[in-house]
């Protein structure tokens, strides 16, 4: 069930903090999720303390943590400190799109539209080029930039056109990002209000779905060598994995079915026999039990091990064949892309 109340968000944060203690090697993604729930519970000082804890421990992605910290600090009155963090991130020019998006949206949320536009533009200039395929993350930067440019009443440029063409929702970006929409929310016309509610649902649906699951709905993928070792050690699992090809086909078809049913935030986690055996021991269950497999997949996803699905068409396929996704398991998968 999706946490809705401050108490539920706090409880979920406490669960994630306990899990981080149990799996210290995965502390960073778990504590980032916990901090997000604390922010939603309006426990911003506790969230700030978690960000400080992560930054003191040589994190793998310090820029993202600093960006999240800046956005959080600004929300509870520490504007000067937030601005200093944002300035430092922009000077560092990280190659990861995520911190750029966080700080640009923080500036936008506080009506710093010119600074937000500059931030989105710096990120797009740094991270996109004719030789670099757009990813979901870099497309999100262009979408955010498109939104801010509409608020600033700036004319469309080439990157806005790219954002328009990459957008696959039922309502065009120009309509979603129309500044006049705010006036519709004050209308006394029921038809106008219903239309605006439909637009807002379309725009916010993915974000709400992501918040409902702090980690993806993930399916378990076994590389060829690991699958062979798994079946040699636990023959009872052969019914789950009759062959390598059948396993790969089942993963892709199941994910497509989930996507077709409207499920978002999908991913793939990669299993290994030592990790699986350690998980079974921690659960006091035999690795030969098929019922343990989905629990293992969910735990890997909760520990930040999931890779988003589907890959972009030109990215390597998730099955590790080395082929582009569109030429491997992504063939004829246009409808599967969310």
């Amino acid at each position: 069930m999706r946490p809705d109340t401050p108490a539920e968000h706090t409880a979920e944060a406490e669960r994630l903090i306990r899990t981080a203690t149990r799996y210290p090697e995965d502390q960073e993604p778990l504590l980032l999720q916990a901090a997000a729930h604390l922010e939603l519970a309006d426990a911003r000082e506790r969230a700030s303390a978690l960000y400080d804890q992560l930054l003191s421990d040589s994190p793998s992605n310090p820029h993202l943590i600093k960006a999240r910290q800046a956005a959080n600090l600004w929300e509870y009155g520490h504007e000067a400190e937030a601005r200093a963090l944002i300035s430092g991130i922009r000077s560092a020019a990280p190659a990861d799109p995520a911190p750029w998006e966080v700080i640009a949206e923080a500036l936008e949320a506080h009506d710093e539209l010119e600074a937000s536009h500059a931030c989105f533009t710096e990120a797009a200039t740094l991270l996109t080029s004719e030789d670099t395929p757009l990813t979901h993350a870099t497309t999100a930067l262009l979408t955010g930039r498109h939104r801010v440019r509409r608020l600033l009443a700036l004319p469309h440029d080439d990157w806005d056109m790219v954002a328009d063409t990459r957008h696959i929702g039922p309502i065009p970006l120009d309509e979603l990002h129309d500044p006049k929409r705010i006036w519709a929310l004050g209308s006394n016309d029921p038809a106008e209000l219903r239309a605006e509610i439909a637009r807002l649902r379309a725009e916010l649906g993915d974000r709400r779905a992501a918040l409902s699951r702090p980690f993806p709905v993930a399916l378990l993928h076994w590389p060829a060598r690991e699958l062979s070792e798994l079946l040699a050690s636990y023959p009872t699992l052969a019914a789950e994995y009759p062959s390598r090809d059948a396993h790969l086909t089942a993963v892709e078809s199941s994910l497509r079915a989930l996507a077709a049913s409207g499920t978002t935030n999908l991913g793939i986690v990669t299993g290994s026999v030592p990790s699986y055996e350690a998980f079974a021991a921690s659960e006091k269950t035999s690795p030969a039990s098929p019922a343990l497999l989905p629990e293992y997949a969910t735990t890997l996803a909760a520990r930040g091990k999931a890779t988003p699905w589907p890959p972009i068409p030109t990215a390597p396929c998730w099955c590790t064949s080395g082929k582009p996704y569109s030429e491997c398991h992504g063939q004829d998968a246009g409808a599967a892309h969310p």
Side-chain angles (χ1 to χ4, degrees):
M1 180 180 294
R2 178 174 58 85
D4 272 319
T5 67
E8 289 170 338
H9 282 296
T10 299
E12 180 63 12
E14 298 290 1
R15 185 190 70 79
L16 290 163
I17 291 168
R18 289 194 300 272
T19 305
T21 302
R22 187 177 179 186
Y23 299 104
E25 70 277 16
D26 298 313
Q27 174 177 276
E28 187 170 330
L30 290 166
L31 291 186
L32 277 174
Q33 292 174 32
H37 280 286
L38 289 172
E39 288 185 38
L40 290 168
D42 205 28
R44 294 192 174 275
E45 290 192 30
R46 282 197 67 196
S48 183
L50 281 185
Y51 292 133
D52 285 340
Q53 177 183 335
L54 284 166
L55 289 169
S56 69
D57 196 28
S58 301
S60 62
N61 196 342
H63 298 302
L64 176 59
I65 298 168
K66 289 179 181 179
R68 294 270 298 271
Q69 176 71 301
N72 179 56
L73 286 168
W74 204 333
E75 289 298 323
Y76 76 107
H78 297 269
E79 179 181 341
E81 190 174 350
R83 287 183 181 277
L85 284 168
I86 289 172
S87 177
I89 292 165
R90 292 176 70 176
S91 296
D96 176 12
W100 286 105
E101 185 176 13
V102 172
I103 61 175
E105 288 186 348
L107 290 163
E108 178 189 357
H110 292 277
D111 295 323
E112 300 277 348
L113 296 181
E114 294 285 357
S116 176
H117 177 252
C119 195
F120 275 125
T121 301
E122 287 170 23
T125 303
L126 178 68
L127 302 177
T128 65
S129 71
E130 292 182 0
D131 300 325
T132 306
L134 282 174
T135 65
H136 293 297
T138 50
T139 298
L141 289 174
L142 297 184
T143 301
R145 182 178 179 275
H146 181 291
R147 181 180 61 249
V148 172
R149 287 175 65 80
R150 290 284 279 144
L151 292 170
L152 290 168
L154 296 174
H156 269 35
D157 63 7
D158 289 344
W159 275 329
D160 289 327
M161 298 298 182
V162 172
D164 283 330
T165 58
R166 294 281 295 187
H167 178 67
I168 58 174
I171 299 175
L173 277 186
D174 278 342
E175 187 174 349
L176 286 174
H177 296 163
D178 185 353
K180 295 179 181 177
R181 289 174 56 202
I182 190 66
W183 298 105
L185 291 172
S187 172
N188 292 322
D189 183 343
E192 270 193 33
L193 286 171
R194 281 194 295 270
E196 183 56 24
I197 289 169
R199 295 186 189 100
L200 288 170
R201 283 176 174 165
E203 185 176 13
L204 300 176
D206 287 346
R207 286 179 180 265
R208 184 172 178 83
L211 281 175
S212 72
R213 293 187 300 274
F215 48 85
V217 174
L219 268 66
L220 181 59
H221 162 234
W222 295 96
R225 181 178 297 178
E226 296 293 335
L227 184 60
S228 296
E229 183 179 344
L230 179 76
L231 297 179
S233 302
Y234 309 105
T236 56
L237 298 180
E240 300 292 319
Y241 306 114
S243 70
R244 165 75 172 161
D245 287 343
H247 167 50
L248 298 180
T249 299
V251 171
E252 180 71 24
S253 61
S254 296
L255 287 166
R256 291 195 196 187
L258 286 167
S261 72
T263 304
T264 58
N265 197 18
L266 298 171
I268 293 174
V269 289
T270 300
S272 73
V273 174
S275 166
Y276 179 61
E277 290 174 335
F279 175 72
S282 71
E283 296 295 314
K284 298 180 172 59
T285 302
S286 168
S289 171
L292 190 64
L293 295 167
E295 295 180 28
Y296 175 55
T298 299
T299 299
L300 289 179
R303 292 164 64 187
K305 301 296 187 182
T307 300
W309 179 94
I312 61 172
T314 55
C317 189
W318 57 265
C319 73
T320 68
S321 66
K323 298 179 182 178
Y325 177 64
S326 61
E327 298 176 16
C328 193
H329 284 89
Q331 292 185 49
D332 304 319
H337 285 255

